[in-house]
Amino acid sequence: MNSNQIEMFEQVRSMQIELTKAYKEYWKLHSGFDAWQFWFNLALLIIPLIVLYFKIDKKRAFLLGFYGFNIHVWITYIDSIGIRHGFWGYPHQILVEVSSNLGLDASLVPVSFMLMYQWTLKHNKNYYLYAILLAAVFSFICKPIFIAIGLLRLYEGTLFYMFFLYIVVLLFSKFITNVFIMLRKKAE
């Protein structure tokens, strides 16, 4: 690395440290343990996981878990990109070090889609139809509620954009899952 590159990198790193300090101070003042939003977000993280524990089809747990982990990873990446570019943000979080909404990205959304996927498998229903319907529920019902109660700020982009991103994640996660199912069948 040349000296200009090192200097610029160190400047960006310094700004990141200062930004992290500002987020920590904001969290202490507005999102800490004494805020109802903290406990609401914690419930969004814990309750779906408890429901999943009791409702998951144990025979398909690996398949459903693999699919749900795909959803979690891609939703988290997209959320992080959206936050970093200032398209949306979460004013209240469980952990200050995680910029996305942990309850949504790691629990509520993946668990909801896992249970939907399980239901479509069990009842031989069209995955794509129900995935789109559930994406619409999250985009056009849940997200506006989160905006109304101050848990989400939408700056650029629209709810239709978020809906489109959900669809992309659902299609991609299903595709990856299908590829691994096919690989397993070929190996047997």
Side-chain angles (χ1 to χ4, degrees), residues 20-173:
T20 300
K21 286 179 187 176
Y23 270 120
K24 285 181 179 181
E25 185 63 27
Y26 173 86
W27 187 88
K28 286 178 193 174
L29 293 172
H30 302 288
S31 293
F33 303 116
D34 57 340
W36 70 266
Q37 296 92 339
F38 172 85
W39 298 103
F40 184 84
N41 281 328
L42 188 62
L44 285 179
L45 178 66
I46 294 171
I47 292 171
L49 295 174
I50 292 169
V51 169
L52 181 66
Y53 178 80
F54 289 106
K55 294 292 185 182
I56 195 167
D57 179 350
K58 309 295 189 267
K59 293 176 187 168
R60 294 181 172 157
F62 187 76
L63 168 69
L64 296 167
F66 181 80
Y67 168 81
F69 187 71
N70 261 284
I71 296 287
H72 159 67
V73 168
W74 299 118
I75 288 290
T76 301
Y77 287 163
I78 288 172
D79 217 14
S80 297
I81 292 167
I83 291 164
R84 178 167 255 175
H85 287 278
F87 298 145
W88 58 78
Y90 299 97
H92 304 282
Q93 296 153 352
I94 299 169
L95 300 172
V96 71
E97 288 80 12
V98 179
S99 61
S100 62
N101 186 303
L102 196 58
L104 283 174
D105 292 352
S107 186
L108 183 64
V109 171
V111 167
S112 297
F113 283 104
M114 287 168 70
L115 294 175
M116 177 276 307
Y117 184 36
Q118 174 177 292
W119 184 84
T120 61
L121 290 171
K122 182 178 182 181
H123 298 285
N124 199 26
K125 298 291 183 180
N126 185 324
Y127 163 84
Y128 301 100
L129 172 64
Y130 289 96
I132 289 169
L133 289 173
L134 188 52
V137 167
F138 274 111
S139 301
F140 303 121
I141 297 174
C142 295
K143 295 291 184 175
I145 290 171
F146 275 50
I147 290 168
I149 63 174
L151 295 177
L152 171 65
R153 301 277 311 205
L154 190 61
Y155 298 104
E156 298 187 27
T158 65
L159 296 174
F160 288 100
Y161 182 64
M162 289 183 146
F163 175 67
F164 172 74
L165 292 173
Y166 272 121
I167 299 301
V168 169
V169 166
L170 296 169
L171 293 174
F172 194 60
S173 294

